[in-house]
Amino acid sequence: MEKETDVVIIGTGAAGLFCALQLPEDKKITIITKEDAENSDSFLAQGGICVLRSEEDYNAYFEDTMKAGHYKNNKDSVETMIKSSREIIDLLITYGVEFELKDGKLAYTREGGHSQPRILFHEDITGKEITGKLLTQARSRNNIKIYEHMEMIDVLCKDNICYGIVMVDKQGQISTVKAKDTVFACGGIGGLYHHSTNFAHLTGDGIAIALRHRIQLQDVNFVQIHPTTLYSEKPGRRFLISESVRGEGAVLYNNNMERFVDELLPRDVVTAAIETQMEKDGKPYVWLSMEHIPKEDILGHFPNIYQRCLEEGYDVTKECIPVVPGQHYFMGGIQSDLEGRTSMKCLYAIGETSCNGVHGANRLASNSLLESLVFARRAALNISIEQVSSNSANEEGKDIDLFKPENYTDVDKIHQENKKLVQQEIERMKKEYEQQYNNDIKCR
């Protein structure tokens, strides 16, 4: 593996891959991932990707995003995301991504929190379609090298400048890669939770490293719970029942088969209603019914959900399925600006591990893929500009020996300490946020 590279990217999700593809082909790019390249949460996204359909929809889309985020969003980030959306979709299509068509034109669906349909999709495996095509493109580039089963455990840094990363392979061998620029695209924190739709290996590694090196974080208490995951007593990742199912007409029932909530309210509102209903019913789940969706639409739009439920013993065309809320998305993360820059020079953060404030306190459905791609592209463009104008900080330090092997003799201990660090910080900021909220109430 390379000892030096122009850009090292941690993560093979949509953000990391798209960033790599937007960088100039004369740059040497190294990508590492903890597991197989396909084992990123981006591959699991079911519903779709938002896009601004027309200028007439801008104000409504902006308001939907702000309202879902409880107006805690960064308005500049929201504006940037929405106005960049059509360009992103056009780029994806050039990479071979296929979206659902109707009469030869792009088809749109609607999900909870949206005032109208503005979501492009590919069956119920939109994330797999997009991220899979990006991975194929990345593997075809001679300047991009992808290394699987390589885990970042630290950054090489001095005087708040990042010079690359420290990593470990599956045999326990420690090594380093020096880079002019480093990009964290290492995903979310689902592996810290008992019930989560995320892969278990996504444990907030980037957040832990940021805490160790005093890299600025933002809103790490904003953790989204998805209202509908398929209830199971089996251990492991929970299977997501896409928001699009409710967008197309599925309804939620209590134990008496009575509807108890507007299914198209924002996720946190629906989640709260489900949790209240479960407590009333004394059950660990509620029922989701697709009875109002034509069978041909279920088989055409949601074939993966249909098949997975069959495997669990449920035929969604004939019966209800049990669903329960589960941890789904991390709105907080490493604080980043509109170009993905962090508080450490030469270090960028994009995708779910970053926080530019676009989602606020609660992410609007299907904004995640769009947000990841918009700011991944902006980070890549900024890296290109910075490297062309000469990254003097990194050039001056590239020969400094920053690697201290004695710091990494017990990788298992580092893993446990990292998880504890992230969990403690989430709880600390939750309490801080609640205290601030209570003080604001008292002052009114």
Side-chain angles (χ1 to χ4, degrees):
M1 186 168 178
E2 297 89 347
K3 296 289 186 182
E4 293 187 14
T5 189
D6 289 314
V7 182
V8 61
I9 299 173
I10 299 85
T12 52
L17 294 171
F18 200 65
C19 181
L21 292 169
Q22 305 307 301
L23 289 163
E25 292 192 47
D26 63 349
K27 299 295 181 186
K28 185 190 294 184
I29 302 164
T30 301
I31 307 178
I32 71 163
T33 180
K34 286 173 80 171
E35 289 283 339
D36 294 339
E38 291 83 2
N39 286 351
S40 76
D41 277 357
S42 297
F43 276 87
L44 303 177
Q46 294 178 353
I49 180 171
C50 297
V51 64
L52 180 64
R53 294 184 63 171
S54 67
E55 288 303 316
E56 289 71 30
D57 184 39
Y58 177 81
N59 289 336
Y61 186 2
F62 186 91
E63 173 61 19
D64 289 347
T65 300
M66 295 294 295
K67 184 178 179 180
H70 297 279
Y71 300 96
K72 300 291 184 182
N73 322 59
N74 180 321
K75 292 181 179 180
D76 290 340
S77 296
V78 176
E79 179 181 8
T80 298
M81 178 187 71
I82 294 174
K83 290 187 174 181
S84 303
S85 62
R86 182 57 64 177
E87 176 188 21
I88 295 299
I89 297 303
D90 290 343
L91 279 168
L92 290 177
I93 291 172
T94 66
Y95 290 145
V97 173
E98 298 179 12
F99 294 110
E100 184 75 14
L101 301 176
K102 185 176 182 179
D103 299 326
K105 296 182 179 180
L106 291 170
Y108 299 87
T109 189
R110 180 186 174 197
E111 297 185 4
H114 288 270
S115 55
Q116 63 177 298
R118 60 170 71 91
I119 298 165
L120 300 175
F121 62 96
H122 178 97
E123 297 178 349
D124 55 352
I125 51 169
T126 308
K128 182 178 180 180
E129 171 66 12
I130 290 174
T131 317
K133 293 292 172 62
L134 295 179
L135 181 58
T136 298
Q137 287 287 329
R139 283 174 165 159
S140 72
R141 298 275 182 94
N142 292 328
N143 66 314
I144 299 175
K145 302 297 181 184
I146 299 174
Y147 297 90
E148 299 173 307
H149 302 281
M150 297 290 291
E151 178 185 358
M152 173 182 67
I153 55 174
D154 205 355
V155 289
L156 298 169
C157 63
K158 185 178 181 181
D159 299 330
N160 202 41
I161 301 170
C162 185
Y163 296 103
I165 63 168
V166 181
M167 57 196 179
V168 59
D169 63 19
K170 59 184 179 181
Q171 283 78 38
Q173 185 68 38
I174 307 292
S175 59
T176 65
V177 173
K178 287 193 173 183
K180 296 176 182 176
D181 289 285
T182 300
V183 181
F184 281 9
C186 36
I189 58 172
L192 302 177
Y193 292 79
H194 180 63
H195 292 291
S196 176
T197 62
N198 297 184
F199 281 109
H201 66 270
L202 299 176
T203 52
D205 300 344
I207 309 302
I209 289 170
L211 284 165
R212 290 181 182 279
H213 293 284
R214 301 183 184 276
I215 300 165
Q216 189 66 43
L217 300 179
Q218 181 177 329
D219 297 336
V220 295
N221 53 305
F222 290 162
V223 180
Q224 185 178 71
I225 308 299
H226 196 286
T228 53
T229 72
L230 185 62
Y231 175 76
S232 176
E233 295 182 357
K234 300 175 184 177
R237 181 172 60 84
R238 294 290 170 255
F239 181 70
L240 178 71
I241 305 299
S242 171
E243 196 111 26
S244 294
V245 174
R246 284 176 282 128
E248 293 296 321
V251 293
L252 288 162
Y253 290 140
N254 63 17
N255 196 47
N256 296 321
M257 293 300 157
E258 300 166 332
R259 193 176 174 196
F260 61 89
V261 67
D262 176 356
E263 293 82 5
L264 293 181
L265 289 170
R267 288 176 175 174
D268 58 334
V269 180
V270 178
T271 293
I274 291 173
E275 290 175 340
T276 298
Q277 191 61 54
M278 289 192 303
E279 187 173 349
K280 287 180 181 177
D281 292 342
K283 297 280 188 180
Y285 55 81
V286 295
W287 296 104
L288 180 73
S289 171
M290 301 186 198
E291 63 191 292
H292 303 299
I293 307 176
K295 181 176 181 179
E296 58 269 24
D297 289 350
I298 293 175
L299 299 180
H301 192 161
F302 308 113
N304 188 47
I305 292 174
Y306 170 75
Q307 186 59 42
R308 180 59 183 272
C309 289
L310 270 185
E311 293 170 3
E312 293 290 329
Y314 303 103
D315 185 341
V316 298
T317 67
K318 298 177 180 179
E319 59 189 327
C320 298
I321 58 173
V323 294
V324 62
Q327 189 279 333
H328 182 55
Y329 199 81
F330 184 41
M331 283 83 63
I334 300 172
Q335 188 179 84
S336 58
D337 65 12
L338 297 184
E339 274 62 55
R341 293 173 295 208
T342 72
S343 63
M344 178 175 280
K345 189 171 179 60
C346 305
L347 176 65
Y348 293 75
I350 55 177
E352 194 173 353
T353 202
S354 72
C355 181
N356 53 48
V358 73
H359 300 306
N362 178 59
R363 176 175 64 85
L364 180 66
S366 286
N367 264 348
S368 55
L369 284 170
L370 177 62
E371 183 271 333
S372 292
L373 300 179
V374 166
F375 294 99
R377 175 168 166 75
R378 293 178 69 88
L381 295 176
N382 189 262
I383 289 170
S384 302
I385 293 169
E386 290 290 328
Q387 288 195 1
V388 167
S389 62
S390 179
N391 192 333
S392 58
N394 226 310
E395 286 298 317
E396 290 171 5
K398 69 179 182 180
D399 295 324
I400 301 174
D401 185 11
L402 301 169
F403 178 53
K404 297 179 180 179
E406 63 271 19
N407 292 340
Y408 312 105
T409 54
D410 191 340
V411 174
D412 286 339
K413 184 179 179 181
I414 292 172
H415 287 157
Q416 294 306 314
E417 289 177 347
N418 282 352
K419 288 180 181 180
K420 188 175 180 180
L421 267 176
V422 178
Q423 290 168 329
Q424 288 176 339
E425 183 64 8
I426 290 172
E427 289 304 313
R428 186 191 72 79
M429 289 203 71
K430 274 184 181 178
K431 291 178 181 177
E432 186 178 290
Y433 183 78
E434 289 168 1
Q435 183 63 47
Q436 182 61 50
Y437 176 79
N438 291 333
N439 289 340
D440 289 346
I441 293 295
K442 290 177 183 178
C443 293
R444 290 178 185 175

